[in-house]
Amino acid sequence: RKQGIRGTLVDALLGTARVELHRGNFEDAQPMLDEALAVATQALDEKRIAECLWASGEIQRGLGEVSEAGGFYRQALERFTKLDVPLG
């Protein structure tokens, strides 16, 4: 049950961060995403960790940090691949 509550918290933080990301408010999205990643990591929730890493890549891309974005995308893809999560 604890992981369920953590998962819900990660989903809420990640969802709010994505809203800010789509609004172009990258600096506002980052703290929420950092917290979501920390909670997902504590819960050992690989899928949510991958989702947070992907969103971190989106933020870095939006900030013009293409190389850093690529690193986040690669980390996310590695996790998605291990989990056999379909992409696209």
Side-chain angles (χ1 to χ4, degrees):
R1 184 170 180 118
K2 283 184 182 178
Q3 188 163 356
I5 292 169
R6 287 181 182 165
T8 301
L9 177 58
V10 171
D11 291 344
L13 289 164
L14 184 56
T16 305
R18 284 180 174 150
V19 168
E20 292 303 324
L21 188 146
H22 289 293
R23 290 180 176 166
N25 298 329
F26 306 114
E27 291 82 10
D28 293 336
Q30 192 63 62
M32 288 178 272
L33 194 53
D34 291 343
E35 186 175 351
L37 181 58
V39 174
T41 300
Q42 287 175 343
L44 303 174
D45 189 330
E46 287 296 317
K47 184 174 183 285
R48 287 185 174 98
I49 291 170
E51 290 172 349
C52 290
L53 290 169
W54 189 268
S56 292
E58 292 291 294
I59 289 173
Q60 293 307 309
R61 184 174 58 102
L63 292 170
E65 301 293 336
V66 177
S67 179
E68 199 166 328
F72 283 114
Y73 290 141
R74 279 188 290 282
Q75 291 178 61
L77 284 172
E78 287 173 12
R79 282 181 163 82
F80 284 134
T81 300
K82 286 180 187 174
L83 294 168
D84 200 27
V85 173
L87 302 174

